Amino acid sequence: DGGITQSPKYLFRKEGQNVTLSCEQNLNHDAMYWYRQDPGQGLRLIYYSQIVNDFQKGDIAEGYSVSREKKESFPLTVTSAQKNPTAFYLCASTDPGLQPQHFGDGTRLSIL
Amino acid sequence: AQKITQTQPGMFVQEKEAVTLDCTYDTSDQSYGLFWYKQPSSGEMIFLIYQGSYDEQNATEGRYSLNFQKARKSANLVISASQLGDSAMYFCAMREGLNNAGNMLTFGGGTRLMVKP
């Protein structure tokens, strides 16, 4: 079945450590997105990418980095500069136009 | 100013009854789209229904319908015949048309719906 796969489901980070969250899609979508969700809150955009080898900062990009070397993959790295990384991270993808974004199942990141 | 406002943090509804979840939005664009998503406790975001700003009819999708009042800038979600499985967080989101080549969405803070048996 077509969809978006995020891994791992749960991730723990030590102080000063970078961690990478995986997002893979087989929907052949051009655009991909990373969102952060804090408990009881809505989603906030971290980064997005419209095409391979191109990406743009969202509203809360500080402390995060991304790459888009393949159309199917859009990994997110949470760097040590992100001082409050504990959150639920959701990856999404879509086709151009007024199409809905399709989401993965998310990754819960916690600090050890 | 908030672009998407959901004023009901939590709501209860009796099973088999209808419920309306409120959403107001703020945009100066003429072309925009409004989306509703459901987020169960497991965390995934499930797309429910879409309304375009130029659509003359209110969107419907099974038990979901969207009460779109453009002049009031509201896009309320109506769930008919509530089921226990409808208990979840519900998010309203907007895609503005101008200067939005990235097809980005802005989300509201969500409403937690609890269906009582």
Side-chain angles (χ1 to χ4, degrees), chain B residues 18-87:
Chain B
V19 62
T20 298
L21 306 184
D22 294 342
C23 173
T24 58
Y25 59 92
D26 182 27
T27 181
S28 56
D29 287 354
Q30 296 302 307
S31 175
Y32 53 89
L34 296 154
F35 302 80
W36 276 92
Y37 284 86
K38 172 184 178 181
Q39 187 179 42
S41 57
S42 50
E44 73 270 28
M45 295 285 283
I46 303 167
F47 166 70
L48 296 177
I49 196 167
Y50 162 77
Q51 180 85 41
S53 59
Y54 293 119
D55 294 341
E56 295 185 355
Q57 304 273 358
N58 284 345
T60 61
E61 195 69 50
R63 294 186 300 109
Y64 305 107
S65 60
L66 205 152
N67 183 2
F68 182 48
Q69 298 188 44
K70 195 170 181 177
R72 297 179 62 184
K73 294 189 174 179
S74 74
N76 299 337
L77 176 70
V78 180
I79 305 175
S80 63
S82 296
Q83 302 172 356
L84 296 178
D86 294 335
S87 294

Side-chain angles (χ1 to χ4, degrees), chain A residues 9 31 33 35 37 40-43 45 48 50 57 88 90 94-105 108, chain B residues 31-33 35 37 39 41-47 50 52 89 91 95 101-110:
Chain A
K9 194 171 181 68
Y33 309 82
Y35 293 93
Q37 185 179 28
Q41 306 291 316
L43 279 65
L45 182 66
Y48 68 99
Q50 299 177 69
K57 292 182 179 180
F88 187 53
L90 284 157
T94 190
D95 275 332
L98 290 171
Q99 301 297 320
Q101 292 184 8
H102 297 264
F103 285 82
D105 289 344
R108 293 193 185 277
Chain B
S31 175
Y32 53 89
F35 302 80
Y37 284 86
Q39 187 179 42
S41 57
S42 50
E44 73 270 28
M45 295 285 283
I46 303 167
F47 166 70
Y50 162 77
M89 284 288 288
F91 291 96
R95 180 199 183 278
N103 199 31
M104 292 175 287
L105 293 179
T106 302
F107 285 83

Side-chain angles (χ1 to χ4, degrees), chain A residues 14-106:
Chain A
K14 295 180 181 178
E15 292 288 339
Q17 187 182 44
N18 293 353
V19 292
T20 297
L21 285 59
S22 170
C23 178
E24 303 277 333
Q25 55 101 357
N26 61 4
L27 299 167
N28 201 33
H29 287 164
D30 288 313
M32 296 187 74
Y33 309 82
W34 273 105
Y35 293 93
R36 170 179 170 140
Q37 185 179 28
D38 292 290
Q41 306 291 316
L43 279 65
R44 292 184 291 169
L45 182 66
I46 305 172
Y47 267 98
Y48 68 99
S49 167
Q50 299 177 69
I51 56 171
V52 174
N53 293 322
D54 183 64
F55 47 82
Q56 307 294 329
K57 292 182 179 180
D59 299 322
I60 55 165
E62 186 174 349
Y64 300 97
S65 66
V66 293
S67 63
R68 187 88 185 274
E69 297 176 1
K70 299 185 299 181
K71 186 176 184 178
E72 303 79 22
S73 179
F74 191 40
L76 173 74
T77 297
V78 184
T79 74
S80 56
Q82 173 49 247
K83 297 306 179 187
N84 184 23
T86 297
F88 187 53
Y89 291 86
L90 284 157
C91 177
S93 71
T94 190
D95 275 332
L98 290 171
Q99 301 297 320
Q101 292 184 8
H102 297 264
F103 285 82
D105 289 344

